[in-house]
Amino acid sequence: MKFPCSIFLLFFRHPTVIPDSLQISYTRSLTSQPVPEGAELTLTCSSSIQSEQLTHLSITFGKRGGGERSDSEAGGEVSTIREIISIDKLLGVVPGPFYKKRYDDGEITLEKRNGEGGQGLFVMKMKAVQPSDAGSFFCEASQWIRDPDRTWQRIAQRTLDIGNLTVQQLVESLDVASSPRGEVTLQVGSPLILTCEVLGLASDVNSGLLVQWMKRGSVSSDVVGTRGVEVEVARMSPDGIVSWGDDLSRGSGGSLEKVSEGKYSLKLFSARPADSGVYRCVVSVYAGRKNPSPSTPATLTQRSEGVAVNLKTKDVLVSAVARLSRGPLLKRGSTITLICNTTVTTTGPVQVQVQWLRWPIPEPVITRNSGGVPLDLEAVTQPKPIATLMYNGVANINHSEISIDRLSANSYRLRIHMATEEDQGLYGCHAEVWGQDPHGGWYDTGARSVSNLVTVYLYARAADLLLIPLVVGVSSALFVGIVIIATLQRILPPFPHALVADIRFVFNLCSP
């Protein structure tokens, strides 16, 4: 489409008449068909000048409107003109003020190519169309000449409407669905397979996807949707890298795979009680950006409905009783021996994990709350972990003078060698039951028991008991001797100094 030109411009500073030879055209106009958000948009504008004078050409791509809202008129639209990008008269590329960041990020470009018949071909590309890009696009060409005073004057201008752009927003089409729907009940050790499907993405838009599986801790929490903390189970980044959340051990016991375009599968090969909860698939779409940078915000993030996963566990009952091993009175330097006897009622193979804790000996004053009721010991003081014998036989000990072992199937022993006063306190054991799934893996059944508390007190040694009368006796003898000497000097006639010295010598000999 071309515009014939028969206009002659005359400037009083230029006696020469310059014919208006500026021409502009486009190869393809925009249609009313909506363009998906994130799609690439390419607009082409051709322009040329045929003049014997040295003139320059500038090209500007811009748009009018676009649905910007007016603050003064509720619900009204403002007719605005925004320059998107230009090639100025000095052949420099200049982005519009509202598009500078996208230009700096490489999402908007403008280049000049050689067209047919000596025309300049100007190609503008938007790599990812946004809803704010909707509006009426135009191409504007200007012819410039430089005056003798070195200032530039525009002597001709043509504006060509390219068409209207309508953007189909992602929020209107995107849908994230997870399956199976509703609730899933499994036996411990069975595989758990969840599928996430992303629908409503345009096939011609090259978008990056971040897929996450999130889990909230309790099945019953889905009713209110607020209980429990939601944690990340696994994620697949837009570049296909899979990483696991808090439970890193799942990296060898599960997988997250892209089954087909827009379809992702989470597999836990052997589900355990800790895997129960409400699962949701969370998808973040980077429209038109296949490999977004870490700082790039997602175009849209949407969550699926929750899938409640419930795992059936065997009925387990456990109890624990702690006692102090019989023996002589415990003194400083003795070995303290404590026994924890457990009783487990269940079916199938189980192992017990035992942890020993120590509380300080409470003060004789009873601590009461505002209602006058004595407070529980554990609520007043925090216990100190002493040692743990794991279900797999591994011992965790926090001191070199402590040992822990298993005496029999249900009896566990704690020994504290070379005991000191710091080892005094109230001791108790906590028992946790671990079961074995059909694949041979061990899992925490959730069955727990807290034993009674045993008081450990260290008595004084015999050497310590003999030291007390010895110190008292020496002190008493010295005191009596001093009193006698002082009395003699006060009631008797003066004695020669030598006699007094002899008396003191005798008392010194008699003193123990």
Side-chain angles (χ1 to χ4, degrees), residues 211-214 232-236 242-245 255-256 266:
V211 179
Q212 299 170 278
W213 276 102
M214 310 295 292
E232 183 181 65
V233 179
R235 68 163 56 194
M236 179 182 289
V242 175
S243 57
W244 296 85
S255 67
L256 178 57
L266 173 69

Side-chain angles (χ1 to χ4, degrees), residues 59-173:
I59 292 292
T60 299
F61 284 89
K63 76 178 188 71
R64 302 182 186 90
E68 292 83 357
R69 295 295 178 183
S70 170
D71 294 334
S72 59
E73 299 180 11
E77 294 187 359
V78 179
S79 178
T80 58
I81 297 179
R82 287 185 177 178
E83 293 185 0
I84 301 174
I85 194 168
S86 304
I87 292 182
D88 62 14
K89 52 188 172 293
L90 299 179
L91 301 181
V93 179
V94 181
F98 291 98
Y99 296 87
K100 186 176 186 308
K101 185 179 185 306
R102 293 169 66 182
Y103 171 77
D104 294 338
D105 294 340
E107 295 187 2
I108 297 180
T109 60
L110 176 58
E111 61 176 330
K112 180 183 178 182
R113 302 173 184 174
N114 293 325
E116 298 179 357
Q119 285 192 335
L121 190 64
F122 300 89
V123 181
M124 183 196 74
K125 285 187 178 181
M126 286 185 169
K127 291 187 177 180
V129 169
Q130 300 179 3
S132 60
D133 295 327
S136 177
F137 280 72
F138 63 87
C139 174
E140 182 179 271
S142 298
Q143 184 179 5
W144 300 80
I145 191 170
R146 197 171 189 179
D147 284 344
D149 61 358
R150 308 186 68 80
T151 60
W152 289 93
Q153 300 292 331
R154 180 160 50 191
I155 60 175
Q157 179 178 317
R158 295 286 182 272
T159 302
L160 187 62
D161 290 330
I162 303 177
N164 291 322
L165 175 66
T166 304
V167 179
Q168 181 182 2
Q169 297 190 34
L170 188 61
V171 68
E172 299 174 353
S173 60

Side-chain angles (χ1 to χ4, degrees), residues 93-409:
V93 179
V94 181
F98 291 98
Y99 296 87
K100 186 176 186 308
K101 185 179 185 306
R102 293 169 66 182
Y103 171 77
D104 294 338
D105 294 340
E107 295 187 2
I108 297 180
T109 60
L110 176 58
E111 61 176 330
K112 180 183 178 182
R113 302 173 184 174
N114 293 325
E116 298 179 357
Q119 285 192 335
L121 190 64
F122 300 89
V123 181
M124 183 196 74
K125 285 187 178 181
M126 286 185 169
K127 291 187 177 180
V129 169
Q130 300 179 3
S132 60
D133 295 327
S136 177
F137 280 72
F138 63 87
C139 174
E140 182 179 271
S142 298
Q143 184 179 5
W144 300 80
I145 191 170
R146 197 171 189 179
D147 284 344
D149 61 358
R150 308 186 68 80
T151 60
W152 289 93
Q153 300 292 331
R154 180 160 50 191
I155 60 175
Q157 179 178 317
R158 295 286 182 272
T159 302
L160 187 62
D161 290 330
I162 303 177
N164 291 322
L165 175 66
T166 304
V167 179
Q168 181 182 2
Q169 297 190 34
L170 188 61
V171 68
E172 299 174 353
S173 60
L174 183 67
D175 185 29
V176 177
S178 56
S179 61
R181 298 180 180 272
E183 185 173 350
V184 178
T185 301
L186 301 172
Q187 295 288 342
V188 172
S190 300
L192 172 62
I193 302 176
L194 301 174
T195 303
C196 177
E197 191 169 3
V198 185
L199 306 171
L201 291 177
S203 58
D204 56 343
V205 178
N206 201 10
S207 300
L209 298 180
L210 170 64
V211 179
Q212 299 170 278
W213 276 102
M214 310 295 292
K215 179 179 76 71
R216 196 177 295 276
S218 173
V219 172
S220 60
S221 66
D222 192 45
V223 177
V224 293
T226 56
R227 295 183 184 176
V229 177
E230 191 172 54
V231 297
E232 183 181 65
V233 179
R235 68 163 56 194
M236 179 182 289
S237 62
D239 54 2
I241 297 177
V242 175
S243 57
W244 296 85
D246 295 337
D247 191 357
L248 299 179
S249 64
R250 275 304 185 194
S252 59
S255 67
L256 178 57
E257 302 174 350
K258 183 178 180 180
V259 179
S260 60
E261 194 63 35
K263 196 170 185 179
Y264 301 82
S265 175
L266 173 69
K267 296 180 181 179
L268 303 182
F269 303 144
S270 180
R272 51 199 186 194
D275 296 325
S276 63
V278 178
Y279 287 75
R280 282 184 174 86
C281 178
V282 181
V283 177
S284 298
V285 181
Y286 300 84
R289 302 169 181 87
K290 187 64 177 178
N291 296 305
S293 65
S295 60
T296 302
T299 306
L300 181 65
T301 298
Q302 194 167 106
R303 302 160 60 89
S304 71
E305 294 292 330
V307 179
V309 176
N310 186 18
L311 291 170
K312 289 184 177 179
T313 58
K314 61 180 71 176
D315 294 330
V316 181
L317 298 176
V318 60
S319 62
V321 177
R323 64 178 177 85
L324 188 62
S325 180
R326 292 183 178 181
L329 291 178
L330 296 175
K331 306 178 183 65
R332 184 162 50 91
S334 301
T335 297
I336 303 172
T337 302
L338 293 162
I339 305 297
C340 181
N341 293 321
T342 62
T343 303
V344 180
T345 304
T346 187
T347 58
V350 294
Q351 293 287 355
V352 179
Q353 179 171 297
V354 174
Q355 181 185 37
W356 285 96
L357 302 171
R358 183 182 71 227
W359 287 261
I361 296 178
E363 299 294 333
V365 179
I366 299 177
T367 304
R368 299 177 180 271
N369 59 17
S370 59
V373 180
L375 296 175
D376 183 68
L377 173 64
E378 190 169 358
V380 177
T381 58
Q382 293 296 325
K384 180 180 179 181
I386 302 300
T388 302
L389 186 61
M390 308 290 288
Y391 69 93
N392 55 5
V394 177
N396 294 331
I397 302 172
N398 62 1
H399 197 280
S400 59
E401 300 295 335
I402 295 176
S403 63
I404 186 172
D405 57 358
R406 183 177 178 180
L407 297 178
S408 63

